Amino acid sequence: MPETAETPVQRPLAGRKAQAARNDERILEAAREVFLADAAAPIAAVAERAGVGISALYRRYPSKEALLRTLCHDGLRRYNTEAEAALRDSDGWRVLVDFLERVVDADVHSLTVHLAGTFTPDPSMMPDVVRSAELTDEIVRRASASGRLREGVTTADLGLILEACAAITLPDGTRSAQLRRRILAMLVDGLATSGKLPGPAPEPGEFAHRWQPRR
């Protein structure tokens, strides 16, 4: 089939879009590494790590806050994706364990907790925030209905478990992942045991203050 007059114009555009997508992927990966090491690092350090010009970075992310917000929103979406995948199982207890393992392996909480308070959450994130709460509530409900979940365990308790695993950080990423799974296995055993839990459960919104911008 003969080429139309517009075909040569479309091909370079597709190439530029592909390059922009690759640059964006490099920027986000570099930003994760840079800000996990130092949340106060300048945005120029991200451009240097990503191997892109600062102007190219600013075309995609007009400010450091916009970049931080995108990183955390991506982590929130990943959390929801893993929760939805775990909920496909018909066994309520397996849903809980699979969910915890998936989120720990995805290393979602290392970044989101580390960056809390360094940016102002955007209203566009709220649907995913609401969705994450609904999914986690459903996971706890099913685990409780299975008869294996310890009495008194709440949705907020799962967040603390995930944060505890994310706090294990070594220079060797593979070793960090191994130790996180080891600790998670111990914590899961605690979720399945009997006995009254000490102290009151985390209150709804008790940790919301961390998302307030730091002065």
Side-chain angles (χ1 to χ4, degrees), residues 35-58:
F35 294 137
L36 267 177
D38 180 12
I43 200 168
V46 176
E48 182 179 357
R49 178 73 64 89
V52 302
I54 190 69
S55 59
L57 190 153
Y58 274 120

Side-chain angles (χ1 to χ4, degrees), residues 17-18 25 32 34 37 44 47-48 50 60 70 77 116 128 136 143 148 150 175 184 188 203 205-206 209:
K17 288 180 179 178
E25 186 176 339
R32 178 181 174 85
V34 168
E48 182 179 357
R60 181 65 182 87
T70 297
R77 293 190 188 100
D128 288 311
T136 314
R148 296 188 61 185
R150 185 174 188 169
R175 186 61 179 143
L184 178 60
V188 165
E203 295 288 341
E206 188 169 1
H209 68 279

Side-chain angles (χ1 to χ4, degrees), residues 121-168:
D122 189 280
S124 67
M125 299 174 67
M126 288 312 298
D128 288 311
V129 171
V130 172
R131 178 61 174 159
S132 69
E134 293 173 344
L135 290 167
T136 314
D137 284 344
E138 178 63 10
I139 287 168
V140 172
R141 187 194 70 78
R142 292 196 194 179
S144 181
S146 75
R148 296 188 61 185
L149 183 63
R150 185 174 188 169
E151 184 179 357
V153 173
T154 70
T155 298
D157 287 317
L158 299 192
L160 296 180
I161 288 173
L162 293 168
E163 287 189 31
C165 292
I168 301 171

Side-chain angles (χ1 to χ4, degrees), residues 32 68-84 99 103 107-109 111-112 119 121-136 211:
R32 178 181 174 85
L68 293 173
R69 188 181 301 117
T70 297
L71 282 173
C72 282
H73 199 173
D74 284 353
L76 178 60
R77 293 190 188 100
R78 179 66 183 275
Y79 177 98
N80 290 349
T81 296
E82 301 301 344
E84 288 167 350
F99 161 72
V103 176
D107 196 16
V108 169
H109 282 65
L111 189 67
T112 54
F119 67 94
D122 189 280
S124 67
M125 299 174 67
M126 288 312 298
D128 288 311
V129 171
V130 172
R131 178 61 174 159
S132 69
E134 293 173 344
L135 290 167
T136 314
W211 293 101

